[in-house]
Amino acid sequence: MLTRTSSRTRTNTRTRPGARRTAVGRRAVPLALSLSLLAGCGTLSDSGDDTTTLEVWLMAGSLSADFRERFVRDYESRNPDVRVNITVHEWPGINEKVRTALDSQNPPDVIEVGNSQVAEYVEAGGVRNLTTRVYDLGGDDWVPSLAKSGQVDGYQYGVPFYAANRVVIYREDLFRAAGVTSPPRTRDEWLTVTELLDEGEQQGIYLPGQNWYVLAGFVWDEGGQLAVERSGTWAGALDSPEALRGMAFYERMHALGDAKPGSDESSPDELQVFADGGVAQLIAVPGAARLITEHNPELAGKLGFFPIPGKTAEKPGAVFTGGSVLIAPERNPEAETEAGYAFVKRLTGRKWQREMADTMSFVPNRTNLSDALKGEPGGAAMAKAAKNGHPTPASPRWGDLEANNPIKDYQTAVLRGADPKAAARKASEQISELLSGGA
């Protein structure tokens, strides 16, 4: 719980128990946004004794308790007639909670959602269309892939909160021992370096057979897609020539380590595998380095970071842009609508985005704030990679696919020797069925 020093207002943050956050979108007729905010400043005037209570749902792992307290103190000082009540939720099971809240007559005023969940909630109904407020929110500077993840049919429903994506975490000492003086910048260089490092008992890279997020990046690099929408219908696209080339590159990288074809990031725990030694590279979010050194303190000071290399040195490899966006439910009184908008605008504005980068090491929602992570090598590498970030397909049923993921089965089949074209065709058919509502 956050303790406020003010005798008039307080922030109550209730953290619900559950598993840790996992890595990381229903369609309605767009509704025009109607807000009566004071022009320019985004603050609310004092209206005497009336106090508006602002209900905000945030997710575990997004903001520290100290950050939340400092932000709420700042917000309430600017909006003296508003009291903020923050509830912190765990990611497992959040989809049903959000859908229920959106369907209620008294939903929260602001909800943080995963950037692959927006389409699902929009289709369910009850999400406010924020398209007319994009300019006021500074949308011209948003990270393109994160901004796109908040859109459905070209309309903006989610306001970019923060981004996070994978980079290559590597053993600087093993690179030096192999005579590699700088990280590779192209795919060809990366393959050459990884082949050099894959020597004896040492693995050039640990790449689980079912890391579909990494595969997605290789597919996007080749100009392919996981799924495509045609006339409102989604279909799998892993059997396209471009997507097949992405899988072929995945096979080459996977062969330069000892990960099993049926393994994923958690089984076995890839961070523990890396920490146990004998692995030169791992693809993960930069924050994983801290967990690795907790497993093996001897690796402290030996880990470096670089963006996943692209086909040319001028452009980093494509990555899935994870992270969160903020949505505003529709069924709220005008005062709460105004207060919620002011809350979103302040939290996603330049000052607090820079503060969040400093505190949480997330990529800010704005391209012109990438310098905020310069002092941290992992964050800086992540920010560079984010320039070629991509969202998952904006299908309202993408969550169903992730829960029963045929992409992972496809990867395992190919790595075990199945014909890539036939396996890709089967996976694409399964993707089409899932995204069309089939079992």
Side-chain angles (χ1 to χ4, degrees):
M1 177 177 291
L2 297 176
T3 302
R4 298 280 288 120
T5 57
S6 168
S7 61
R8 188 183 64 82
T9 60
R10 65 180 179 178
T11 304
N12 178 25
T13 304
R14 302 184 297 277
T15 304
R16 305 191 176 187
R20 67 176 176 85
R21 177 178 177 174
T22 58
V24 137
R26 301 187 185 255
R27 186 165 304 160
V29 177
L31 300 175
L33 176 67
S34 175
L35 295 174
S36 58
L37 287 173
L38 297 176
C41 64
T43 61
L44 305 177
S45 61
D46 195 329
S47 56
D49 296 332
D50 294 335
T51 299
T52 297
T53 299
L54 187 67
E55 295 289 344
V56 178
W57 284 11
L58 296 179
M59 300 307 301
S62 293
L63 300 177
S64 66
D66 176 69
F67 185 102
R68 292 194 300 267
E69 182 176 6
R70 287 187 290 111
F71 174 78
V72 169
R73 185 182 300 118
D74 172 77
Y75 172 84
E76 290 184 347
S77 71
R78 293 169 173 270
N79 301 276
D81 293 331
V82 181
R83 182 177 62 188
V84 177
N85 185 61
I86 294 178
T87 302
V88 176
H89 291 269
E90 298 288 340
W91 287 96
I94 191 59
N95 292 51
E96 187 60 34
K97 292 177 183 177
V98 173
R99 286 196 296 265
T100 299
L102 291 173
D103 192 46
S104 73
Q105 295 303 311
N106 187 30
D109 302 290
V110 178
I111 304 176
E112 176 191 353
V113 303
N115 66 339
S116 64
Q117 300 170 333
V118 178
E120 173 184 354
Y121 300 141
V122 170
E123 186 182 68
V127 180
R128 188 171 297 279
N129 184 339
L130 299 172
T131 304
T132 62
R133 291 293 175 173
V134 169
Y135 179 79
D136 183 55
L137 290 164
D140 288 349
D141 297 327
W142 286 342
V143 174
S145 58
L146 195 57
K148 186 176 180 180
S149 71
Q151 296 173 0
V152 177
D153 292 337
Y155 294 93
Q156 195 78 41
Y157 291 89
V159 178
F161 186 14
Y162 66 83
N165 48 262
R166 288 161 176 76
V167 299
V168 181
I169 302 175
Y170 74 102
R171 290 275 301 271
E172 293 178 330
D173 56 331
L174 298 184
F175 269 52
R176 285 194 298 270
V180 182
T181 58
S182 61
R185 297 182 61 198
T186 69
R187 273 192 182 184
D188 289 341
E189 292 176 1
W190 193 23
L191 276 171
T192 299
V193 168
T194 306
E195 289 169 353
L196 183 65
L197 291 163
D198 189 42
E199 182 69 26
E201 296 297 318
Q202 179 176 290
Q203 300 180 57
I205 188 170
Y206 184 81
L207 179 59
Q210 294 187 346
N211 192 327
W212 72 274
Y213 291 110
V214 173
L215 171 63
F218 297 163
V219 169
W220 291 324
D221 269 341
E222 296 291 348
Q225 299 292 334
L226 304 179
V228 295
E229 183 181 22
R230 298 188 183 93
S231 302
T233 301
W234 284 91
L238 289 176
D239 54 343
S240 71
E242 296 83 2
L244 287 169
R245 289 199 297 269
M247 184 63 213
F249 185 74
Y250 192 97
E251 282 188 88
R252 295 182 68 182
M253 292 302 299
H254 175 267
L256 299 175
D258 297 337
K260 303 299 183 183
S263 62
D264 60 19
E265 298 97 312
S266 61
S267 182
D269 182 352
E270 63 178 2
L271 305 187
Q272 185 65 63
V273 172
F274 190 87
D276 287 343
V279 178
Q281 300 173 91
L282 180 72
I283 300 174
V285 296
R290 177 178 56 83
L291 300 176
I292 290 169
T293 55
E294 287 178 0
H295 287 312
N296 184 359
E298 292 183 3
L299 293 181
K302 297 179 180 180
L303 303 182
F305 311 84
F306 60 89
I308 295 173
K311 300 183 77 172
T312 66
E314 290 71 34
K315 187 177 184 180
V319 291
F320 164 63
T321 302
S324 292
V325 299
L326 301 176
I327 62 173
E330 290 179 317
R331 300 183 183 93
N332 288 312
E334 182 178 358
E336 291 181 28
T337 297
E338 294 178 359
Y341 181 80
F343 184 96
V344 170
K345 184 175 180 179
R346 187 69 178 161
L347 185 55
T348 61
R350 288 178 58 88
K351 170 181 167 54
W352 285 98
Q353 283 291 301
R354 182 176 289 278
E355 180 71 14
M356 186 176 65
D358 291 341
T359 304
M360 308 302 299
S361 298
F362 290 136
V363 175
N365 65 5
R366 297 164 187 265
T367 56
N368 56 7
L369 289 179
S370 58
D371 65 307
L373 294 169
K374 281 185 176 179
E376 185 177 338
M382 185 167 61
K384 290 179 181 178
K387 295 178 181 179
N388 194 14
H390 295 251
T392 55
S395 166
R397 295 184 175 86
W398 190 256
D400 296 336
L401 181 142
E402 291 196 21
N404 184 28
N405 199 330
I407 303 174
K408 298 171 70 171
D409 295 335
Y410 159 65
Q411 292 175 269
T412 296
V414 173
L415 294 175
R416 286 177 175 166
D419 176 67
K421 290 184 179 180
R425 190 177 305 113
K426 177 181 178 181
S428 294
E429 291 171 354
Q430 293 173 325
I431 291 172
S432 300
E433 183 177 4
L434 283 165
L435 297 187
S436 65

